[in-house]
């Protein structure tokens, strides 16, 4: 069933407008949740964004919000329907990590970020699909199947946050929460015309929840239609927690205006990798539009340590997966997605020194990322979020990019380094390609400058909308 994407993006007002309507009594959380559920009934059969929707639970959550409003509370996300990725704990809900191994798991408590959303008045309407263990760049698994891209259901929305982005892009919810250990909440938004923020590592607390195979780089991320909506969700979730030893308090906001920022443009992020010509042309045109809008943009490429690519850093993920799921894979390989089984097998073959070397390289990448901004006197760097648009839903990745054969992660090369730098990174829409599929522009800033990156992203969004 074709989806009218213009209507989908206009289906919801802003998050602030939804909350104001509920706070002022012009609507109710129950009514907003009902609107979301009706949209899910209409569209999700063709998209498969959700792994579970419990209408009784939704009704109870909405009733609690409406009771708080009736008691005089005003809530920043009052009645806002939200989807939560299927690897983030929501108390009392089945959270499976897209895995048959966890098909019967029910979360015993909320992740801290989820608890903060609930405290702010958001209503969780469903759990959104992910690749198994959130560990590959498309969203399909043996338990729940494949999620499809609302812009073209023959295409993937990417991964691993494909369910969250498909839910927002189709208008089933106005807000979703994903995770990002290598670009999983930046590339899927780029493929679906959305905004996805990976905060500075530790800015939003991670857990309580599942053990992570990614060793201190994964973040919980807001995904929405606009930068303003994304920023509102971020402000609700941000802040240190005693339950997360990696969480941290952001430095004071310097409120630097975008027109005072010195921004680098890096067409390939300092990497020798293929980029589809249409992607390169669109991003270059977006950058020129930003220059004409008054932003100061210079051409600069980051310099990375030798081996700072998938081959050098992949041992961290492979080793983590093997440590967590190696025994299960040996005993029941048919229960695990073969793509994940290959990663687990590779992890089991690693020596401890292989993983240690990858962890040391991760530290070197973090230092290189910090030095780039300091040595060049930069506030931000921009470039493509991905080297290609979305690809067919039945493929792990595109076989070629710009006519050059690439591996299954060839589409993912521009995002993982900024998990290792622990810096904030955001993807904003960068127009559509000739086939009508969205592209994204990635913006990165030094660690701790999350509010500045949101401020710049809002200026970029405004300038590009004016030139679309």
């Amino acid at each position: 069933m074709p989806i009218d994407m213009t209507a989908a993006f206009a289906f919801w007002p802003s998050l602030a407008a939804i909350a104001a309507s509920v706070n002022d009594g012009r609507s109710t959380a129950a009514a907003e949740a009902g609107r979301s559920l009706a949209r899910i009934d209409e569209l999700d059969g063709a998209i498969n964004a959700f792994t579970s929707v419990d209408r009784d639970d939704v009704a109870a959550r909405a009733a609690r919000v409406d009771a708080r409003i009736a008691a005089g509370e005003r809530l920043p996300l009052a009645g806002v329907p939200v989807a939560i990725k299927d690897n983030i704990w929501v108390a009392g809900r089945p959270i499976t990590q897209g895995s048959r191994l966890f098909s019967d798991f029910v979360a015993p408590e909320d992740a801290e970020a989820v608890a903060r959303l609930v405290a702010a008045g958001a209503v969780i309407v469903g759990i959104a699909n992910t690749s198994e263990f959130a560990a590959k760049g498309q969203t399909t698994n043996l338990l729940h199947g494949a999620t499809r891209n609302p812009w073209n259901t023959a295409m993937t929305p990417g991964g691993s946050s494909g369910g969250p982005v498909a839910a927002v892009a189709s208008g089933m919810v106005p807000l979703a929460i994903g995770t990002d250990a290598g670009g999983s909440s930046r590339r899927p938004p780029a493929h679906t015309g959305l905004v996805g923020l990976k905060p500075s590592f530790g800015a939003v607390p991670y857990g309580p929840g599942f053990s992570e195979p990614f060793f201190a780089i994964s973040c919980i991320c807001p995904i929405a239609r606009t930068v303003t909506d994304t920023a509102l969700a971020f402000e609700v979730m941000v802040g240190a927690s005693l339950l997360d030893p990696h969480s941290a308090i952001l430095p004071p906001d310097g409120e630097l205006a975008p027109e005072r920022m010195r921004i680098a443009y890096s067409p390939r992020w300092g990497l020798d990798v293929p980029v589809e010509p249409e992607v390169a042309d669109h991003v270059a045109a977006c950058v020129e539009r930003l220059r004409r809008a008054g932003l100061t943009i210079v051409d600069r490429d980051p310099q990375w340590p030798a081996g700072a690519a998938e081959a050098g850093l992949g041992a961290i993920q492979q080793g983590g997966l093997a440590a967590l799921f190696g025994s299960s894979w040996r005993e029941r390989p048919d229960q695990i997605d073969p793509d994940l089984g290959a990663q687990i097998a590779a992890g089991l073959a690693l020596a401890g020194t292989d993983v240690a070397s990858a962890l040391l390289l991760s530290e070197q990448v973090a230092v290189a990322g910090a030095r780039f901004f300091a040595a060049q006197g930069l506030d931000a760097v921009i470039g493509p979020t991905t080297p290609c648009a979305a690809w067919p839903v039945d493929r792990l990745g595109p076989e070629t990019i710009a006519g050059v054969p690439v591996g299954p992660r060839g589409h993912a090369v521009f995002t993982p380094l900024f998990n290792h730098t622990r810096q904030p990174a955001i993807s904003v829409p960068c127009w559509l390609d000739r086939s009508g599929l969205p592209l994204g522009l990635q913006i990165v800033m030094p660690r701790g400058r999350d509010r500045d990156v949101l401020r710049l992203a809002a200026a970029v969004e405004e300038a590009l909308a004016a030139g679309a």
Side-chain angles (χ1 to χ4, degrees):
M1 177 181 62
I3 296 172
D4 182 342
M5 293 306 296
T6 300
F9 270 63
F11 188 79
W12 296 97
S14 70
L15 302 188
I18 296 169
S21 179
V22 173
N23 280 317
D24 295 343
R26 290 176 284 115
S27 184
T28 64
E32 300 300 330
R35 192 170 184 228
S36 176
L37 291 172
R39 184 79 171 170
I40 292 169
D41 287 343
E42 177 188 358
L43 296 179
D44 202 37
I47 295 172
N48 193 35
F50 286 94
T51 63
S52 69
V53 176
D54 184 331
R55 281 163 169 74
D56 290 339
D57 181 67
V58 174
R61 290 175 181 275
R64 287 194 290 270
V65 172
D66 287 332
R68 292 171 66 189
I69 299 298
E73 290 190 64
R74 291 187 66 85
L75 305 170
L77 292 178
V80 170
V82 59
I84 305 295
K85 187 176 177 181
D86 189 29
N87 64 335
I88 302 171
W89 283 9
V90 178
R93 296 304 307 276
I95 307 295
T96 71
Q97 301 188 87
S99 176
R100 289 174 173 173
L101 300 181
F102 292 87
S103 60
D104 297 324
F105 180 84
V106 175
E109 59 183 316
D110 284 337
E112 178 64 23
V114 170
R116 292 176 183 183
L117 290 166
V118 171
V123 176
I124 298 167
V125 297
I127 308 304
N129 202 18
T130 177
S131 57
E132 191 163 11
F133 311 132
K136 70 177 184 178
Q138 64 168 170
T139 300
T140 183
N141 57 66
L142 300 181
L143 184 60
H144 303 296
T147 297
R148 295 176 179 271
N149 192 321
W151 290 83
N152 180 341
T153 55
M155 300 295 179
T156 180
S160 60
S161 299
V165 298
V168 175
S170 61
M172 289 188 272
V173 291
L175 173 67
I177 305 302
T179 61
D180 189 320
S184 288
S185 288
R186 284 165 287 155
R187 294 191 313 275
H191 293 316
T192 52
L194 301 176
V195 177
L197 170 69
K198 181 196 77 66
S200 295
F201 179 70
V204 173
Y206 204 104
F210 297 111
S211 296
E212 273 287 323
F214 307 112
F215 299 112
I217 60 172
S218 192
C219 300
I220 287 180
C221 309
I223 298 165
R225 294 161 298 156
T226 67
V227 175
T228 298
D229 283 356
T230 304
L232 176 55
F234 170 74
E235 291 296 346
V236 165
M237 296 189 295
V238 71
S241 168
L242 293 176
L243 298 177
D244 179 2
H246 295 294
S247 65
I249 297 174
L250 292 182
D253 184 7
E255 298 187 0
L256 184 64
E259 59 269 21
R260 293 176 52 209
M261 296 179 184
R262 188 166 185 263
I263 304 161
Y265 165 46
S266 181
R268 283 179 168 79
W269 296 99
L271 302 171
D272 182 18
V273 294
V275 179
E276 287 291 349
E278 191 173 5
V279 173
D281 291 346
H282 268 69
V283 171
C286 287
V287 170
E288 287 308 307
R289 175 73 193 176
L290 298 177
R291 284 182 168 129
R292 291 196 299 273
L295 297 183
T296 300
I297 301 176
V298 298
D299 295 333
R300 298 286 189 278
D301 289 324
Q303 302 297 311
W304 303 109
E310 195 76 21
L313 295 166
I316 299 174
Q317 178 170 311
Q318 294 165 356
L321 288 167
L324 290 171
F325 309 114
S327 295
S328 296
W329 178 75
R330 284 189 177 112
E331 294 168 5
R332 295 175 289 168
D334 61 319
Q335 296 298 296
I336 293 177
D337 180 338
D339 296 325
L340 271 296
Q343 292 192 53
I344 292 168
L348 291 170
L350 292 169
T353 52
D354 296 326
V355 177
S357 294
L359 290 169
L360 290 170
L361 179 58
S362 176
E363 293 297 310
Q364 294 167 17
V365 168
V367 171
R371 284 187 184 276
F372 175 59
F373 287 98
Q376 299 289 335
L378 297 170
D379 295 294
V381 57
I382 60 176
T385 307
T386 64
C388 61
W391 59 93
V393 71
D394 60 350
R395 300 180 192 170
L396 187 56
E399 295 174 357
T400 64
I401 295 176
V404 178
V406 295
R409 295 283 290 176
H411 64 92
V413 289
F414 293 150
T415 52
L417 289 169
F418 301 108
N419 293 86
H420 294 275
T421 66
R422 282 74 165 177
Q423 294 163 332
I426 191 169
S427 181
V428 297
C430 182
W431 304 334
L432 305 177
D433 71 4
R434 282 188 297 266
S435 69
L437 290 172
L439 304 173
L441 184 77
Q442 182 175 222
I443 306 169
V444 182
M445 278 193 171
R447 188 175 183 182
R449 292 184 60 181
D450 298 57
R451 294 184 175 98
D452 275 342
V453 86
L454 285 161
R455 193 173 292 114
L456 176 57
V460 168
E461 179 182 64
E462 180 180 4
L464 296 185

